[in-house]
Each structure stands twice: as C-alpha cells, then as structure tokens.
Amino acid sequence: MLGCGNPLVGDDGIGIHVIEKLSEIRDELPDEVELIDAGVCGLEMLNMLEDASNVIIVDAVKGAGNVGSVHRLSVDDVKEAASGNDGLSVHDISLADVLNIAEQVQEMPDQLTIFAIEIEKADEISLDLSDKVQGSLDTTVKLIIDEISAMKAC
C-alpha cells in the first residue's frame, strides 16, 4: 500500500494522511499489508512496485470530479486519463508516467489499484487538508479495507 503526496502542500498530502489513518488501525489489517509513505517519489516508485503481487496506491488528482470525491482506478484508467489532458497528477512526473515506465522495464504487480482523491489545488503551503478532502479520508480508508479484503479472498 503506497500513499503518495506532499503533506506540506495541503490536499496533495491526502495519500500520506490515508497511510497515517491506516497505521492507527494497523491491527485490523492483514499482517502481509505493508503501509508505505511514498511521498512524491516519482521514479523511485519503480522500486516499490518491483516484486509486489498486489498494490494499492493512494494519490491526489485534479480534474477528475468534485473536490473530495474518491475514484477507484485501474492502471489503464490512469494512463487513459493522463493522455487526455495535462495528466491528472499534481506532481512533476505523473503516476501515469511511472506506470508506463514500469510496464516497459519490470514485472508489474498481479493487481494494482489506484484510489485517487480529487483536490482543488496543490500550490499552497499548509499542513492541513481542506474540509472536503478531509471529509473523504474515512471513506477512502473504508474503500481500501474493502479492497484489501477482496484481494485476500482471491
């Protein structure tokens, strides 16, 4: 489980906040689930995907819907959305870029799911999430727990 973003830039840090929230309920998760604060790692994510069988990535996006909405995406969804605009990412190198490179240079995880939380902006220094994005935190955690349960059942 990778949480992406910069917690110093408000809503962009939602992926990190999700990892922190999951850490608080760590005893409710299967032992094999690894919670990783991936930060704004860019190409370093390639190492995090290598040799993984099931991966969930949580990141902020812009332009995919209403602020605070949570989207469950596949790798193809991310690549398709990125090809249709500036890319959904708020980072210099997008998640779609990393996934495209990963597919070319290494074995991809058997299952890779992305939970993308819609944000309004990611250009102001702040440690706090906006109210709408903060409101999506519990929903995102529940969706991830459900996704982990579904992965475990397979």
Side-chain angles (χ1 to χ4, degrees):
M1 163 96 219
L2 304 174
C4 301
N6 184 344
L8 301 176
V9 189
D11 288 350
D12 181 49
I14 184 62
I16 308 306
H17 288 272
V18 169
I19 291 294
E20 290 171 354
K21 187 83 168 175
L22 286 167
S23 294
E24 293 172 9
I25 58 167
R26 182 70 182 106
D27 57 332
E28 296 177 31
L29 301 174
D31 292 340
E32 64 271 14
V33 173
E34 191 175 352
L35 301 174
I36 299 172
D37 175 342
V40 290
C41 58
L43 291 177
E44 293 172 13
M45 187 180 291
L46 294 173
N47 294 330
M48 297 174 195
L49 295 175
E50 195 167 30
D51 298 325
S53 58
N54 297 308
V55 176
I56 297 172
I57 298 173
V58 183
D59 201 1
V61 294
K62 291 193 309 185
N66 296 324
V67 174
S69 60
V70 182
H71 310 276
R72 183 189 180 279
L73 307 171
S74 68
V75 172
D76 290 338
D77 293 332
V78 170
K79 291 181 350 185
E80 182 179 324
S83 69
N85 60 24
D86 279 343
L88 295 172
S89 180
V90 294
H91 308 293
D92 290 335
I93 184 164
S94 73
L95 180 56
D97 295 332
V98 172
L99 296 174
N100 277 321
I101 293 167
E103 286 179 331
Q104 301 302 313
V105 301
Q106 67 191 46
E107 195 74 25
M108 290 291 285
D110 296 333
Q111 186 170 351
L112 196 154
T113 304
I114 299 100
F115 285 96
I117 296 89
E118 183 72 31
I119 66 171
E120 188 169 359
K121 54 187 171 180
D123 57 0
E124 295 178 2
I125 303 298
S126 173
L127 295 174
D128 300 320
L129 297 173
S130 67
D131 290 343
K132 288 182 180 179
V133 173
Q134 178 70 41
S136 72
L137 190 57
D138 288 337
T139 299
T140 305
V141 167
K142 181 180 181 337
L143 290 170
I144 289 169
I145 290 170
D146 291 347
E147 188 75 19
I148 290 170
S149 295
M151 286 178 171
K152 192 172 179 185
C154 292

